[in-house]
Amino acid sequence: DIQMTQSPSSLSASVGDRVTITCRASQGISNYLAWFQQKPGKAPKSLIYAASSLQSGVPSKFSGSGSGTDFTLTISSLQPEDFATYYCQQYNSYPWTFGQGTKVEIK
Amino acid sequence: QITLKESGPTLVKPTQTLTLTCTFSGFSLSTSGVGVGWIRQPPGKALEWLALIYWDDDKRYSPSLKSRLTITKDTSKNQVVLTMTNMDPVDTATYYCAHRPQDIVVVEPAAFDIWGQGTMVTVSS
């Protein structure tokens, strides 16, 4: 199985901050990488697919980059509604696997 | 508009078989490239991918659970069913189904885009 490791596991940030979350795959996955946002008690919401493509309806403050084994999710200017847990997921090979999550909290 | 909704028992006893149904609308599971997957999340823990079924009936399973899982589709009813045998308290989780669209651009492979609301399943005697 491909292991996905996110860092940090949690972070505290202020409204307006630029936030970057990293996801590393244990082997190369090309651009088969997705990012999801999950708020407490809610289903995950898709943000990014193919490492850098924005899902329809997702604001442009979210961006993704990377290829191979190293990927990043950036939120350009953190807003109150962005405080949530973020997960990366690889879908290059089965079983598809998720990272352990990064919780973004209010400073 | 694509929607998915999971249904099934909220409580099952250890050793029992769990049957969950994902009822969807807004797409057809007979369209080339389309898939529906199942993902679960134990309380306070990360997401875990379980299984995926494609329009052509290709089925993929998590190796760690493969012996216990079966995924099927009923295209006429717009439903995907997941069964999990020999349930254990560690299987207590919220179970989600999700839509995997067809690839529009070859160099931008599609991932899960729309998720159901999830259904919480508790395994306890």
Side-chain angles (χ1 to χ4, degrees):
Chain A
D1 298 5
I2 297 176
Q3 184 174 354
M4 306 301 292
T5 304
Q6 291 182 231
S7 61
S9 295
S10 64
L11 66 89
S12 295
S14 300
V15 172
D17 283 354
R18 181 182 180 89
V19 168
T20 297
I21 299 169
T22 296
C23 179
R24 175 164 289 176
S26 59
Q27 63 190 74
I29 59 170
S30 184
N31 67 335
Y32 287 72
L33 192 283
W35 288 97
F36 301 93
Q37 175 195 65
Q38 188 178 34
K39 297 181 179 179
K42 299 295 185 182
K45 174 187 174 183
S46 177
L47 300 175
I48 302 279
Y49 68 99
S52 60
S53 298
L54 209 60
Q55 284 285 3
S56 176
V58 173
S60 58
K61 62 181 172 181
F62 293 97
S63 63
S65 65
S67 183
T69 60
D70 294 312
F71 302 85
T72 59
L73 172 71
T74 299
I75 309 172
S76 60
S77 177
L78 202 64
Q79 298 301 305
E81 63 270 20
D82 303 328
F83 291 95
T85 299
Y86 293 84
Y87 293 93
C88 62
Q89 181 218 353
Q90 70 80 21
Y91 53 105
N92 179 73
S93 63
Y94 300 101
W96 292 1
T97 46
F98 291 88
Q100 82 279 14
T102 296
K103 188 173 184 179
V104 177
E105 299 176 301
I106 301 173
K107 182 182 284 185
Chain B
Q1 178 191 4
I2 291 174
T3 63
L4 305 96
K5 187 173 185 179
E6 307 85 352
S7 59
T10 58
L11 178 66
V12 297
K13 290 180 167 52
T15 76
Q16 286 187 336
T17 294
L18 172 68
T19 299
L20 294 173
T21 301
C22 176
T23 302
F24 57 85
S25 63
F27 68 96
S28 172
L29 200 39
S30 59
T31 299
S32 178
V34 172
V36 172
W38 285 93
I39 306 96
R40 71 178 178 180
Q41 185 174 39
K45 296 189 177 181
L47 300 164
E48 179 185 14
W49 180 86
L50 300 177
L52 180 61
I53 189 166
Y54 287 99
W55 86 103
D56 59 356
D57 212 38
D58 183 18
K59 302 169 185 177
R60 305 286 176 162
Y61 296 100
S62 169
S64 63
L65 294 168
K66 185 174 183 177
S67 64
R68 299 173 54 206
L69 293 176
T70 303
I71 189 169
T72 59
K73 63 181 176 68
D74 186 329
T75 305
S76 64
K77 292 183 178 179
N78 281 353
Q79 291 182 333
V80 171
V81 175
L82 182 76
T83 61
M84 181 180 292
T85 62
N86 194 26
M87 293 292 285
D88 183 272
V90 300
D91 296 314
T92 294
T94 297
Y95 288 75
Y96 298 98
C97 60
H99 171 254
R100 190 271 185 193
Q102 61 186 166
D103 294 334
I104 302 299
V105 178
V106 172
V107 295
E108 297 177 359
F112 291 135
D113 60 351
I114 307 297
W115 294 56
Q117 64 188 24
T119 185
M120 177 67 192
V121 178
T122 301
V123 184
S124 175
S125 55

